[in-house]
Amino acid sequence: KIMNQLLGVNQIEKQLAEYFGIKRCVVVAGDSDEQPKVVDEFGEALNEALMQLLPETQNIIAVMGGTTMATVAEHLTNLETDTRHNLFVPARGGIGEAVTVQANSISAMMATKAKGNYRALYVPEQLSLATYNSLLQEPSIQEVLGLISQANCVIHSIGRALHMAARRKMTEEELLMLKQKNAVAESFGYFFDEMGKVVYKVPRIGLELKDIQDIPIVIAIAGGHSKAKAINAYMKNAPEQTWLITDEAAANVILKGV
Ligand code: G3H
């Protein structure tokens, strides 16, 4: 609180962007753990960022899942122009989330709100490796994977490692392994330790972490004091073009030193 009065939200945004070595931070007042409306404001901030960042061309926007993404999706507005068209795709195949917060559903919702188009990637959970591999050969899957690989924009959230592992019903062994490796953050189905190093990857199709490096527009959205550690860990090695949309509560914990 005191720091905010001294510095103001703009200063916090600048400090945080500098601290992570990224292009831009947008900091919304409040704490999304306690005030759900803060997540709605993340959505408005995302909409403004997209208005500003999406070029006047055919864009392919790859999106991840989660509850934050599901809420922000509702806040997009028409992002089409005569020369700008947007196709939303899921960034990665099913990683164990409930239908309402799966990347497929979020991409459909975003497309509807933004008056763009979407393509789904249908890959059921819990497949044997053999079935999974043969499914990958399907032309319809290959086509969507081709679109995903051409994405010029990625939008994703950041979660707490063990919370995400439990929510996605990962096995006891996996949970134990994540604890042993000190996993604190999760994004894109990858798990990171405090230094931002990948310690585990859920094997799924779609975008790989290394692909994100070369994507011109990357927007990460996560807030709440409970996620400060996770955000700090993931953002350490995030690509420098990343825009982070977060809240004051997370920003303050991070800048104080998590
Ligand atoms: O990868 C991160 C998670 O999708 C975050 O999920 O928005 O429900 O906390 P959440």
Side-chain angles (χ1 to χ4, degrees), residues 64-70 95 97 101 156-160 163-164 167-168 185-190 221-223 227:
M64 284 300 307
T67 59
T68 310
M69 290 294 294
I95 47 176
E97 293 276 35
V101 299
H156 69 94
S157 186
I158 303 162
R160 286 171 292 151
H163 177 82
M164 294 311 300
R167 186 168 96 191
R168 293 181 186 153
E186 187 278 345
S187 198
F188 301 101
Y190 288 76
I221 311 164
K227 275 193 182 179

Side-chain angles (χ1 to χ4, degrees), residues 69 79 88 90 109 129 150 160 172 187 195 209 215 246:
M69 290 294 294
L79 293 169
F88 292 81
M109 172 59 80
L129 195 60
Q150 291 166 51
R160 286 171 292 151
E172 281 301 318
S187 198
M195 300 310 294
L209 192 63
I215 295 181
T246 189

Side-chain angles (χ1 to χ4, degrees), residues 89-143:
V89 291
R92 296 194 81 200
I95 47 176
E97 293 276 35
V99 171
T100 48
V101 299
Q102 275 173 16
N104 269 334
S105 318
I106 288 160
S107 114
M109 172 59 80
M110 285 193 166
T112 306
K113 294 285 179 181
K115 311 262 185 259
N117 292 308
Y118 67 94
R119 294 293 302 273
L121 183 63
Y122 293 112
V123 186
E125 309 285 325
Q126 319 288 357
L127 290 181
S128 71
L129 195 60
T131 312
Y132 184 74
N133 285 336
S134 67
L135 196 63
L136 289 192
Q137 305 311 314
E138 278 296 318
S140 63
I141 303 261
Q142 284 290 329
E143 194 202 333

Side-chain angles (χ1 to χ4, degrees), residues 160-171 175 178 191:
R160 286 171 292 151
L162 300 179
H163 177 82
M164 294 311 300
R167 186 168 96 191
R168 293 181 186 153
K169 311 227 169 12
M170 287 168 69
T171 64
L175 271 165
L178 289 172
F191 288 84

Side-chain angles (χ1 to χ4, degrees), residues 22 24 27 31 41 45 47-48 51-52 65 99 110 113 118 146 174 190 196 201 212 219 238 241 251:
I22 57 168
R24 176 91 204 262
V27 175
D31 184 345
E41 286 178 45
N47 194 53
E48 277 170 37
M51 287 272 187
Q52 186 179 329
V99 171
M110 285 193 166
K113 294 285 179 181
Y118 67 94
E174 283 174 309
Y190 288 76
K201 174 192 167 190
I212 316 292
I219 306 178
Q241 70 274 28

Side-chain angles (χ1 to χ4, degrees), residues 1-9 11-12 29-30 248-249 251-252:
K1 273 260 154 49
I2 293 170
M3 189 159 75
N4 293 357
Q5 280 156 14
L6 289 177
L7 297 174
V9 164
Q11 277 302 317
I12 295 181
E248 232 178 344
N252 284 342

Side-chain angles (χ1 to χ4, degrees), residues 3-67:
M3 189 159 75
N4 293 357
Q5 280 156 14
L6 289 177
L7 297 174
V9 164
N10 276 343
Q11 277 302 317
I12 295 181
E13 290 179 337
K14 285 209 183 87
Q15 273 199 357
L16 201 60
E18 210 166 284
Y19 172 73
F20 288 133
I22 57 168
K23 201 145 131 203
R24 176 91 204 262
C25 283
V26 176
V27 175
V28 172
D31 184 345
S32 57
D33 285 337
E34 265 131 48
Q35 303 139 302
K37 76 166 190 351
V38 173
V39 186
D40 295 319
E41 286 178 45
F42 290 167
E44 284 156 30
L46 171 67
N47 194 53
E48 277 170 37
L50 290 172
M51 287 272 187
Q52 186 179 329
L53 292 169
L54 288 174
E56 295 289 317
T57 178
Q58 171 66 59
N59 297 298
I60 300 183
I61 303 167
V63 304
M64 284 300 307
T67 59

